[in-house]
């Protein structure tokens, strides 16, 4: 277990370093790029195999226990320890990260991230692997400063992915992304330091076991505010979301998939892992506000999507899916704000489900953008609709499947998270104002209705339509590599939908510990 | 009993759906067997389960599906006479639709996905029927909804099908959101999602908010079972293929709401207010839909409004506290309405139009479709409720239930105290039900007279559909020149048998009632006379009006126009409810969306820009101070020194 954890981080890190070695991938630029991308796929495939091995070796009888502990002193002067471990909350996220990274790497071997003015595929590989290190580390580390470090590592490669391999106003979007999140994490670091100074340790397991004892109420409040702000930017919570639609619109397909599938989860994971157990009093004080932001975010996100989905508004499909993330992450935040095991389980489930479903949607929409040369809904749909069901039935069916999963159809992954988050809000934790949470729940319910509305409007305008209407371009049917790299997401969406216990038995004991309710 | 056997009933069609989808394109020869056989097997198994269970017994079994941190969600079955009856009905209907469709969609290239969706729908409906856990029931409930959405949108080339499918899903979802909250309310008090626990808590008075829970659940029921005010999706849903309209949107799916209330009736009996609300909903639905049916020119829309109204009867029986009568009418309506739709499908196929006006101008039509003419007639008599057809007994059972409830002696059959049903609910259902009996006879007679007018009159009629009337035309599937294949004709006669004879099952207490709650299903003398008298009166009134207007105009004329007078226009458009919805829901939602778009651009974006601006302002200020002018520096230094000196002096 210990070796597995270290290998999970070391492998992509070494891979990233290898891309810097001159001459390792040959001299010819095209062959070098091809080799690099294949190297990327193999390495991320190995990481996925390690992650699966980790899941197989995980003691499923005790998901609440931190397993595979690596704990050595790293910077003694600051009391920073190199502490790694997985439990029932982080394990699914690690596997999801490894899976999405592998699928993205696989996808880019066949559809290399090229275009006008993009750097070489070799640098893409290096940045991609560095990104994977950061993402995995975020979910594996158990030291506050290390967590901050991992959180920040991710930003740099993602910035370059957007700014160099993106499209449209990519530089501006990348700037906004990095400035916004850096500002957030700077505040978060202050919160971490505050905790570390008062508690005398940065170790997350130890701090979590104390459940906030030894930290005064005002310290907790201040720390919760600072850390929460940083994490909410990342999540993103309304109204701190405005970096997200731009970043997604500009990002290349694989960037969008990872951004939505993994990066957003880092924020909510932080809320569950750091905020809840370490500063419980502070969290409880801010929970109603968090719930309010979540509920507004759900309705706001879906209304923004509805505005983008309408005919003649020049809505961009990628932007629409990005805004839908604001709504979906709202359910995650609502579940967390309820401070109940039910809500928290729902939040963690919705986290994974959103990664699978939105990852799939960004893949499909990215493929549409490739085929049509634009993601502008009006251009795509024309007067009556793009009739994808007729022109590319499998692609159309996958988009419809993704939409139906995203609107939270029972029996697919999206449902359970929303259900439990709302049920958590229906019976919020002790000391929370119940009427307020009932209002949040009702707003969330309204959000599910609006979500169904805009997603089905998208299906109507893209999948359905009069085939007699001349097509903008000849749309190619689902290609082999696309099917290979997307099918796992669709399959897992069904599996998690039919067998929710797969994730909930993992998270349930942990959230009860985190909330100290048994 | 073997639990695996029970589990196979919903699982087989689901697996069949997956297999149909997987092989649909690569091996088209497999599609038909994969579509029919799993559903057929499931139907047989459902029958076996029903027979093994027998009458008067219940079976409960459960295994945990998942922990939630609160009450567990379990894969539970709860079997009793109701589940037996309805699961067999669903199996039978699903088999009919699959077999009929093999002929009806013979040339359709999208037949595999269609067949898979019908199979998946069957699985979901059987899950709803068997599930003993409310959340798992909700899974089936919404999967049915999405299957219905895809099936209505089968002809996505047409604008009608596109908007009808969207509307059907969103209107039912509008009810499903409160429905989910209703489940929360029940589960929070019962500390479980299991139906048996919920009913147990209801029996022990542990439900603290029965009215709230019942009303929230009613929203979902109104959506699914097409009750006022959420019924508007059903007439438009006729844009789907006819077998779907016949069997999913008439016989099974729309009955799910009725079935759910029947299942949870003890909860509803705790709240008189909820029962009165249900009675009002049922009454408005019945009368409104009958008036609308009288004004439609599209034969499928007439039948769709008729479905809405008959579902209103079932809801009325539930409001009167008698779930036996509701389920009795559910099954007999399932038979005769499926018969009506399938006959209408043949008629549309032969006449090549949905329009009744156009049909009335085709003199050869009656000779062209001899089978369908007979079965349509049988179905209409059953709908009108003339003895001894099935519809007579089941409708009378509903009216009798209402009559007893109005007298304060509701036939709750031991589900709850008779006093739990307010007499007002009984009166509302009784009056509305009687009026509807009259109106139903009128519109059924009108349908018959317009479809098969006397030859002398038909020859003088026009053949164009009426301009301005709402239609839900379906793309023509088959060649109208040929007679219908056998697979489209013999299901009609199969369905005609229960449409004629099923009603007898209610007469003997050892037959149908023994399977259900054991009470009587015999009509009382009062309602017998009133109900039949009104039905006969309706037939005569319609016929007389038709004679008069047709003779006067010299051509086949619409008696509905003469009878409804000024109401005709609004009734034809469904009383403008769509416009009202657009005003109440669609436009505010779109307005809010536009507002959010504005806010996101101007306000949220504003503070991002603002923070950038603030940084620039700060930079400008700092830059200004670095002017390089020695005089400015010196004066600032001097001023600051004076200030410090003053502060020190004052402080000391």
């Amino acid at each position: 277990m210990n070796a597995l954890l270290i290998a999970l981080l070391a492998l992509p890190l070494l891979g990233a370093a290898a891309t810097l070695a001159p001459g390792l991938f040959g001299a010819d630029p095209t062959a070098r790029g091809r080799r690099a991308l294949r190297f990327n796929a193999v390495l991320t495939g190995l990481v996925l195999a390690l992650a699966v091995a980790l899941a197989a070796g995980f003691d499923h009888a005790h998901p609440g226990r931190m397993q595979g502990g690596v704990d050595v002193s790293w910077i003694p002067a600051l009391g920073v320890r190199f502490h790694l471990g997985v439990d029932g909350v982080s394990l699914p996220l690690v596997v999801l990260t490894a899976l999405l990274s592998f699928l993205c790497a696989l996808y880019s071997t066949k559809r290399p991230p090229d275009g006008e003015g993009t750097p070489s595929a070799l640098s893409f590989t290096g940045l991609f692997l560095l990104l994977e290190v950061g993402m995995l580390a975020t979910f594996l580390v158990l030291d506050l400063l290390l967590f901050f470090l991992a959180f920040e590592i991710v930003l740099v490669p993602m910035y370059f992915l957007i700014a160099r391999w993106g499209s449209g106003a990519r530089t501006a979007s990348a700037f906004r992304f990095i400035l916004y999140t850096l500002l957030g994490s700077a505040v978060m670091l202050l919160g971490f330091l505050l905790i570390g100074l008062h508690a005398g340790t940065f170790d997350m397991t130890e701090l979590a076991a104390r459940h906030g004892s030894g930290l005064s109420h005002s310290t907790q409040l201040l720390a919760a505010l600072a850390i929460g702000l940083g994490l909410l930017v990342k999540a993103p919570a309304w109204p701190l979301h405005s970096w997200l639609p731009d970043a997604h619109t500009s990002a290349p397909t694989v960037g969008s998939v990872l951004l939505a599938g993994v990066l957003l989860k880092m924020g909510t994971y932080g809320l569950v892992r750091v905020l809840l157990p370490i500063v419980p009093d502070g969290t409880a004080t801010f929970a109603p506000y968090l719930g309010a932001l979540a509920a507004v975010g759900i309705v706001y996100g879906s209304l923004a999507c509805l505005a983008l989905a309408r005919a003649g508004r020049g809505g961009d499909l990628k932007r629409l899916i990005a805004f839908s993330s604001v709504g979906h992450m709202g359910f995650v935040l609502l579940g967390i704000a309820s401070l109940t095991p039910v809500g928290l389980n729902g939040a963690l489930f919705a986290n994974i489900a959103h990664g699978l479903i939105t990852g799939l949607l960004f893949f499909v929409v990215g493929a549409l953008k490739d085929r049509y040369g634009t993601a502008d809904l009006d251009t795509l749909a024309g007067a009556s609709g793009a009739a994808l069901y007729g022109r590319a039935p499998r692609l159309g069916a996958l988009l419809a499947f993704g939409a139906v999963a995203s609107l939270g159809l029972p029996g697919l992954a999206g449902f359970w998270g929303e259900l439990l988050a709302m049920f958590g809000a229906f019976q919020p934790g002790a000391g929370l104002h119940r009427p307020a949470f009932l209002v949040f729940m009702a707003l969330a319910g309204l959000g599910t209705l609006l979500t169904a509305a805009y997603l089905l409007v998208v299906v109507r305008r893209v999948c359905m339509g009069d085939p007699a209407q001349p097509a903008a371009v000849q749309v190619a049917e689902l290609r082999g590599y696309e099917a290979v790299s997307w099918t796992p997401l669709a399959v897992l969406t069904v599996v998690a939908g039919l067998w929710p216990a797969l994730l909930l038995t993992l998270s349930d004991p942990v959230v009860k510990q985190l909330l100290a309710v048994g | 009993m073997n639990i695996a056997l029970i589990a196979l009933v919903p699982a087989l069609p689901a697996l069949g759906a997956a297999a149909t989808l997987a092989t649909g394109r690569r091996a088209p020869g497999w599609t038909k067997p994969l579509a029919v056989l799993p559903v057929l097997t499931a139907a047989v198994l459902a029958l076996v389960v029903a027979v093994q269970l027998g009458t008067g017994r219940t079976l409960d079994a459960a295994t945990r599906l998942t922990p939630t941190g609160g009450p567990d969600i379990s894969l539970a079955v709860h079997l009793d006479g109701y589940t037996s009856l309805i699961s067999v009905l669903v199996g039978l209907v699903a088999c009919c639709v699959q077999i009929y469709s093999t002929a009806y969609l013979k040339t359709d290239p999208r037949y595999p996905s269609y067949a898979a969706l019908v199979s998946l729908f069957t699985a979901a409906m059987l899950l709803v029927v068997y599930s003993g856990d409310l959340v798992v029931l909700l899974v089936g409930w919404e999967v049915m909804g999405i299957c219905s959405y895809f099936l209505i949108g089968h002809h996505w080339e047409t604008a009608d099908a596109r908007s009808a499918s969207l509307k059907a899903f969103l209107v039912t979802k509008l009810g499903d959101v409160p429905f989910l909250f209703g489940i929360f309310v029940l589960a929070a008090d019962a500390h479980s999602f299991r139906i048996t626990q919920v009913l147990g808590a209801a029996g022990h008075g542990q439900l603290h908010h029965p009215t709230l829970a019942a009303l929230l659940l009613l929203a979902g029921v109104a959506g699914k079972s097409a009750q006022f005010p959420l019924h508007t999706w059903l007439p438009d849903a006729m844009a789907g293929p006819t077998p779907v309209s016949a069997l999913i949107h008439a016989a099974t799916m729309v009955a799910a709401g009725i079935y759910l209330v029947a299942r949870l009736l003890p909860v509803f009996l705790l709240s008189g207010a909820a029962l009165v609300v249900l009675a009002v909903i049922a009454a408005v639905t019945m009368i409104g839909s009958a008036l609308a049916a009288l004004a439609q020119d599209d034969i499928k829309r007439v039948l769709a409004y008729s479905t809405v109204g008959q579902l209103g009867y079932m809801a009325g029986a539930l409001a009167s506290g008698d779930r036996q009568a509701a389920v009795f009418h559910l099954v007999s309506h399932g038979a005769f309405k499926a018969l009506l739709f399938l006959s209408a499908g043949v008629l549309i196929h032969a006449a090549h139009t949905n329009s009744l006006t156009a049909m009335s101008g085709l003199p050869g039509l009656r000779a062209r479709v001899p089978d369908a003419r007979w079965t349509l007639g049988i179905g209409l008599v059953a709908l009108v409720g003339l003895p001894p057809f099935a519809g007579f007994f089941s409708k009378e059972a509903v009216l009798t239930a209402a009559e007893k409830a109005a007298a304060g002696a509701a036939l709750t059959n031991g589900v709850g105290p008779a006093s739990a049903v307010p007499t007002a609910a009984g009166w509302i259902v009784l009056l509305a039900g009687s009026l509807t009996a009259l109106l139903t006879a009128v519109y059924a007679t009108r349908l018959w007279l317009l479809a098969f007018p006397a030859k002398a009159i038909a020859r003088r009629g026009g053949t164009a559909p009426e301009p301005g009337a709402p239609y839900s035309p379906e793309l023509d599937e088959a060649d109208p020149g040929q007679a219908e294949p056998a697979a489209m004709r013999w299901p009609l006669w199969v369905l005609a048998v229960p449409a004629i004879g099923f009603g007898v099952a209610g007469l003997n207490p050892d037959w149908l009632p023994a399977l259900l709650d054991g009470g009587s299903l015999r009509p009382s003398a009062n309602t017998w006379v009133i109900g039949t008298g009104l039905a006969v009166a309706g037939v005569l009134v319609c016929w007389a009006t038709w004679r008069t207007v047709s003779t006067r105009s010299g051509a086949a004329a619409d008696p509905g126009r003469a009878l409804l007078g000024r109401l005709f226009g609004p009734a034809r458009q469904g009383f403008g409810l769509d416009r009202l919805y657009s005003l109440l829901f669609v436009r505010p939602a779109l307005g809010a969306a536009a507002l959010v778009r504005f806010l996101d651009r101007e306000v949220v974006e504003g503070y991002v820009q603002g923070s950038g601006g603030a940084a620039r302002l700060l930079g400008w200020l700092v830059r200004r101070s670095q002017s390089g002018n020695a005089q400015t520096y010196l004066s600032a230094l001097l001023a600051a020194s004076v200030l410090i000196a003053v502060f020190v002096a004052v402080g000391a």
Side-chain angles (χ1 to χ4, degrees):
Chain A
M1 284 294 264
N2 300 9
L4 268 180
L5 288 184
I6 294 175
L8 264 178
L9 296 180
L11 204 60
L13 190 63
L14 289 177
T19 60
L20 295 177
L24 194 63
F25 291 87
D28 176 39
T30 5
R32 190 169 56 199
R34 232 182 7 252
R35 271 190 215 118
L37 289 174
R38 230 172 283 154
F39 173 72
N40 192 17
V42 170
L43 216 60
T44 48
L46 282 176
V47 172
L48 176 61
L50 288 176
V52 171
L54 183 72
F58 188 79
D59 180 4
H60 286 267
H62 303 98
R65 193 161 51 81
M66 227 9 122
Q67 299 182 19
V70 177
D71 191 5
V72 289
S73 179
W74 190 30
I75 311 173
L78 289 174
V80 179
R81 306 185 64 80
F82 188 73
H83 189 177
L84 306 178
V86 280
D87 64 359
V89 165
S90 47
L91 182 70
L93 286 164
V94 169
V95 177
L96 176 75
T97 306
L99 176 74
L100 283 175
S101 303
F102 172 64
L103 295 180
C104 284
L106 198 66
Y107 181 75
S108 16
T109 55
K110 290 287 182 180
R111 166 95 193 45
D114 47 16
E116 213 176 315
T118 53
S120 72
L122 189 62
S123 29
F124 173 82
T125 303
L127 289 169
F128 191 90
L129 289 169
L130 186 63
L131 182 64
E132 188 175 19
V133 178
M135 296 189 299
L136 287 172
T138 308
F139 301 128
L140 287 177
V141 299
L142 291 172
D143 184 281
L144 284 179
L145 289 189
L146 229 51
F147 179 82
F148 173 76
L149 197 67
F151 213 76
E152 298 296 277
I153 287 179
V154 172
L155 298 182
V156 179
M158 190 46 93
Y159 168 80
F160 282 111
L161 278 186
I162 297 171
R164 292 289 176 269
W165 282 272
S167 59
R170 57 190 188 185
T171 323
S173 304
F175 255 126
R176 168 170 291 194
F177 161 72
I178 201 155
L179 286 180
Y180 225 119
T181 38
L182 268 181
L183 198 64
S185 29
V187 182
M188 181 172 79
L189 180 62
L190 292 181
F192 286 168
L193 293 175
L194 190 66
I195 291 177
L197 285 178
H198 280 85
T201 176
F202 286 111
D203 192 89
M204 281 152 70
T205 43
E206 195 181 330
L207 285 167
R210 290 186 201 166
H211 283 294
S213 63
L215 293 174
S216 70
H217 187 70
S218 52
T219 313
Q220 290 207 19
L221 271 189
L222 210 57
L225 190 62
I227 299 171
L229 210 60
L231 294 170
L232 288 184
V233 168
K234 198 79 168 186
W238 183 86
L240 305 172
H241 65 274
S242 74
W243 60 272
L244 184 79
D246 286 344
H248 270 302
T249 314
S250 303
T253 300
V254 292
S256 290
V257 171
L258 290 178
L259 193 55
V262 182
L263 262 66
L264 305 190
K265 276 77 215 176
M266 292 164 47
T268 46
Y269 172 77
L271 287 176
V272 174
R273 175 66 79 206
V274 178
L275 213 59
L276 268 187
I278 295 180
V279 283
D281 291 356
T283 313
T285 310
F286 288 116
Y289 303 99
L290 181 62
L293 294 186
V296 172
I298 292 169
V299 174
Y300 186 95
S302 34
L303 282 174
C305 288
L306 201 57
L308 289 170
R310 286 188 71 193
R313 303 300 159 99
D316 182 290
L317 210 44
K318 287 189 85 174
R319 199 177 176 81
L320 185 144
I321 308 291
F323 260 118
S324 84
S325 295
V326 177
H328 285 122
M329 295 314 278
F331 280 98
V332 180
L333 295 174
L334 181 64
I336 295 173
S338 77
L339 298 185
T340 57
V342 180
L344 226 52
N345 277 325
L348 291 167
F349 196 100
N351 240 357
I352 302 289
H354 177 257
L356 294 172
I357 296 167
T358 310
L360 177 67
L361 278 174
F362 269 120
F363 265 136
V364 176
V365 169
L368 280 181
K369 190 173 179 179
D370 281 351
R371 282 162 168 78
Y372 281 87
T374 173
D376 179 62
L377 205 47
D378 289 334
T379 319
L380 246 68
S384 73
L388 218 55
Y389 280 155
R391 296 195 170 115
R394 289 184 186 165
L395 200 60
L398 259 180
L399 179 62
F401 173 81
V404 165
S406 185
L407 66 82
L409 184 78
L412 296 176
F415 169 65
W416 300 105
E418 292 183 3
L419 171 85
L420 295 182
M422 285 196 273
F423 193 47
F426 182 68
Q427 292 179 302
L432 293 178
H433 189 57
R434 183 150 187 242
F437 272 84
L438 288 181
V439 172
F440 303 156
M441 181 193 72
L443 284 175
L446 176 67
T448 61
L449 183 64
L450 294 169
T451 306
Y454 72 75
L455 282 166
L456 293 185
V457 167
V458 168
V459 169
R460 176 166 82 171
R461 299 192 64 204
V462 178
C463 294
M464 302 176 166
D466 190 353
Q469 173 190 305
V473 288
Q474 202 63 39
V475 195
E477 176 56 308
L478 187 68
R479 298 189 178 97
Y481 68 92
E482 291 173 336
V484 169
S485 43
W486 304 348
T487 317
L489 296 177
V491 170
L492 284 175
T493 303
V494 176
V495 170
L498 293 181
W499 189 28
L502 184 67
L503 293 171
L504 289 174
T505 41
L506 280 175
S507 62
D508 189 42
V510 189
V511 299
K512 285 180 176 154
Q513 271 177 33
L514 292 175
L515 289 169
V517 292
Chain B
M1 196 190 301
N2 193 347
I3 298 291
L5 198 68
I6 303 171
L8 271 181
V9 176
L12 270 178
L15 294 174
T20 313
L21 272 187
T23 60
R25 243 176 291 147
R26 276 181 227 115
W30 284 86
T31 306
K32 279 183 192 172
L34 278 176
V36 176
L37 289 179
V39 174
L40 193 66
T41 320
V44 172
L45 287 181
L47 189 63
V48 170
V49 168
V51 169
Q52 284 194 6
L53 185 73
T55 54
R57 280 174 55 201
T58 61
L59 183 141
D60 275 286
T63 175
R64 189 174 83 162
L65 175 66
T66 179
T68 65
D72 283 345
I73 294 171
S74 29
L75 275 177
V77 287
H78 172 82
L79 300 186
D80 57 13
Y82 286 91
T83 57
S84 295
L85 185 63
I86 295 185
S87 62
V88 171
L89 172 78
V90 170
L92 183 72
V93 162
C95 286
C96 286
V97 73
Q98 287 286 24
I99 292 169
Y100 186 90
S101 304
T102 55
Y104 196 85
L105 286 94
K106 198 175 195 171
T107 51
D108 194 320
R110 295 201 291 268
Y111 173 67
S113 63
Y114 167 89
L117 284 167
V118 173
S119 292
L120 184 61
F121 165 83
T122 311
M125 181 78 197
L126 288 169
L127 186 67
V128 168
V129 175
Y130 276 176
S131 175
D133 184 284
L134 286 171
V135 174
V136 177
L137 186 147
L138 181 73
V139 171
W141 181 272
E142 290 215 25
V143 170
M144 269 194 318
I146 204 78
C147 288
S148 149
Y149 158 81
F150 281 119
L151 288 170
I152 295 169
H154 182 75
H155 299 296
W156 43 258
E157 297 91 343
T158 64
D160 282 327
R162 287 199 292 271
S163 42
S165 60
L166 190 68
K167 181 175 173 186
F169 192 83
L170 290 184
V171 171
T172 43
K173 181 92 185 167
L174 184 64
D176 286 351
V177 173
F179 183 74
L180 176 67
F181 295 158
I183 292 180
F184 286 171
V185 174
L186 290 180
D189 286 344
H191 302 292
S192 171
F193 288 111
R194 293 276 302 277
I195 292 179
T196 41
Q197 316 295 72
V198 169
L199 295 185
H204 294 101
Q206 288 160 353
L207 294 185
H208 304 304
H209 310 287
T211 304
L212 180 66
L215 290 178
L216 288 170
L217 289 174
L218 274 186
V221 169
K224 202 52 116 195
S225 288
Q227 297 295 291
F228 176 84
L230 298 180
H231 64 278
T232 59
W233 63 272
L234 191 62
D236 288 3
M238 297 301 123
T242 300
V244 169
S245 311
L247 298 158
I248 292 180
H249 297 126
T252 46
M253 183 180 89
V254 287
I258 303 298
Y259 171 73
L260 182 100
V261 180
R263 201 72 185 280
L264 293 178
L265 194 62
V267 175
F268 286 83
L269 286 179
L270 290 179
S271 163
L275 289 177
V276 171
V277 169
L278 183 59
V280 170
I281 288 176
V284 174
T285 309
M286 278 189 253
I287 297 171
S289 67
L291 290 174
L294 191 48
Q296 298 304 309
D297 191 37
D298 180 336
I299 184 169
K300 279 176 82 178
R301 288 180 76 94
V302 175
L303 295 179
Y305 273 114
S306 153
T307 305
V308 172
Q310 299 300 307
L311 288 163
Y313 267 119
M314 301 171 211
L318 293 168
S320 314
D322 186 355
R323 59 180 183 176
Q324 277 200 145
V327 171
F328 187 29
H329 196 54
L330 190 163
V331 176
S332 85
H333 169 257
F336 71 70
K337 189 52 64 67
L339 177 66
L340 282 171
F341 264 112
L342 293 186
S343 308
V346 175
L347 211 62
I348 292 168
H349 179 207
H352 220 262
T353 176
N354 281 19
S355 162
L356 284 168
T357 318
M359 281 180 198
S360 67
L362 293 172
L365 194 60
R366 47 164 62 196
R368 168 79 173 69
V369 287
D371 296 277
R373 181 158 176 260
W374 270 104
T375 50
L376 190 76
I378 292 170
L380 286 177
V381 177
L383 170 67
V384 171
L386 295 181
F389 286 64
F392 166 73
F393 291 100
S394 57
K395 190 185 71 183
E396 290 306 323
V398 174
L399 291 179
T400 306
E403 185 206 6
K404 298 278 191 221
L411 296 169
T412 50
N413 300 320
V415 178
S419 58
V421 182
T423 50
W427 277 112
I428 293 168
V429 175
L430 186 62
L431 292 177
S434 306
L435 182 57
T436 310
L438 177 77
L439 291 171
T440 306
V442 174
Y443 73 71
T445 313
R446 168 181 175 265
L447 173 65
W448 177 260
L449 291 172
L450 286 181
F452 302 111
K455 277 179 193 158
I457 290 174
R459 249 174 248 124
R460 280 170 276 156
T463 52
E466 286 203 24
Y471 287 99
S472 303
E474 184 194 344
L475 294 187
D476 233 303
E477 301 278 352
D479 177 12
Q482 290 174 350
E484 286 64 37
M488 281 173 70
R489 273 183 290 130
W490 66 259
L492 301 181
W493 290 107
V494 170
L495 284 167
V497 175
I500 298 170
F502 176 72
V504 181
L507 288 183
N508 191 325
D510 286 340
W511 297 341
L512 190 64
L515 191 62
L516 305 177
D517 288 332
S520 163
L521 279 172
R522 282 172 191 241
S524 75
N526 293 341
T527 53
W528 201 106
V529 172
I530 297 173
T532 315
L534 285 170
V536 172
V539 173
L540 291 177
V541 164
C542 186
W543 185 78
T545 317
W546 177 77
R547 281 299 298 195
T548 317
V549 291
S550 291
T551 319
R552 195 182 303 151
S553 69
D558 188 349
R561 197 182 290 273
L563 282 169
L564 285 176
R566 277 201 197 155
L567 264 180
F568 185 79
R572 173 162 273 187
Q573 305 299 335
F575 299 103
L577 267 184
D578 281 339
R579 284 231 303 280
L580 184 70
Y581 277 152
S582 166
L583 212 64
L584 277 182
F585 296 107
V586 181
R587 279 170 58 189
L590 292 178
L595 179 69
V596 159
R597 197 172 161 83
F598 167 79
L599 283 179
D600 210 63
R601 276 204 188 137
E602 307 297 332
V603 181
V604 177
E605 203 62 350
Y607 68 65
V608 178
Q609 304 284 2
S611 60
R616 266 197 297 278
L617 190 71
L618 208 65
W620 180 78
L621 276 177
V622 176
R623 200 162 60 240
R624 280 306 292 269
S625 63
Q626 311 295 316
S627 62
N629 186 337
Q631 278 179 352
T632 322
Y633 289 172
L634 274 178
S635 355
L637 196 65
L638 190 66
S641 313
V642 171
L643 278 177
I644 290 170
V646 171
F647 273 128
V648 169
V650 171

